[in-house]
Each structure stands twice: as structure tokens, then as C-alpha cells.
Amino acid sequence: VAPLQRASSLQEMSWVRGSDTRSTYPGANPVGRAPQLAEARERVRSALVREGEEVYNTYVASFASLAVNIDDECRSAIQAAVESGALGAMDGAFGRAVDDVFGIMANDSVPKYVLSDEYASARSIAGHRGSIA
């Protein structure tokens, strides 16, 4: 890309007047780069879809080795979104799963843990060290 040169007046900067920037603005040629940008966008989209598939296979699928506790409706929505490859649908479905997991933690897991012997023991140990949770 050629370095920009300073124009001596607004008249020399035809792009300020709203003319076609592809021919007047130094180094600007979005049409010539469109295939490269499309390829880069597709690589990023493909990588995100693959990552969504990995998360699904590891944490959501019925055969997942580290399955999280989400309801069947949420699990089905994630499966459909991953199968479609639609990033917006995947974002929404995974976002709902995150909300569900945090909801379960806040309303079930944490309250049970706070009442457990393990928590009392941890607080006791932390208290002896000078930091109480």
C-alpha cells in the first residue's frame, strides 16, 4: 500500500467531496480485496463453527464426556444450531445454556454447598489463615 500524501487543499482531496474512493483515495480499493476479505471471513466463521461443534461434543451431546446439567429443550436447541452452522443461532443457544447453568448453580448447587460439611471445613481452614470467604 502506497503511503498517503498530504494534499495542499480540499480541492485536491476529491474523496472529501463524496466521489468514488476506489479511484481517488490512495491505497483504497475495497473491490480488489473483496475475495481476500471473503476468504478470511469464511475461515473465521468455519473456525467458530468447529469450536461450537467441539463444545457441543464435549459438554452438551448425550455422549459428552463432561456433560453439563441443562434441560432437554436447551440441549436440542444447541444441537439444531450446531447442525445448522448458523453463528447467531449458536450464540443464542449457547448463551441460554450458560444462563441455565448459572441459574442452577445460584439456586441449587451453591446453597447446598454452603450448608455442607466441606464448606464449613473450608471456612474453618480459611479462618485460621486470616481470610474468611
Side-chain angles (χ1 to χ4, degrees):
V1 173
L4 294 176
Q5 296 177 349
R6 184 179 172 102
S8 61
S9 72
L10 288 177
Q11 295 299 325
E12 292 178 22
M13 296 188 304
S14 59
W15 56 274
V16 172
R17 295 189 313 266
S19 63
D20 186 3
T21 60
R22 288 176 297 213
S23 60
T24 59
Y25 188 74
N29 187 358
V31 174
R33 295 195 46 163
Q36 293 169 334
L37 294 174
E39 290 170 12
R41 190 177 0 225
E42 182 55 31
R43 281 194 306 271
V44 169
R45 193 194 77 71
S46 295
L48 290 172
V49 169
R50 278 193 307 275
E51 189 170 331
E53 290 169 346
E54 287 180 35
V55 170
Y56 173 78
N57 290 331
T58 304
Y59 301 104
V60 179
S62 59
F63 56 83
S65 58
L66 301 170
V68 294
N69 185 14
I70 56 175
D71 63 49
D72 289 334
E73 183 180 325
C74 186
R75 189 176 314 278
S76 296
I78 293 172
Q79 180 180 1
V82 169
E83 288 173 354
S84 76
L87 294 179
M90 289 171 64
D91 183 45
F94 280 118
R96 178 173 170 232
V98 168
D99 292 346
D100 285 358
V101 169
F102 284 148
I104 290 169
M105 288 173 58
N107 296 316
D108 184 55
S109 302
V110 172
K112 285 180 183 175
Y113 176 68
V114 169
L115 298 175
S116 72
D117 293 336
E118 291 85 4
Y119 179 73
S121 176
R123 281 190 54 96
S124 174
I125 292 169
H128 291 294
R129 293 187 182 154
S131 64
I132 301 176

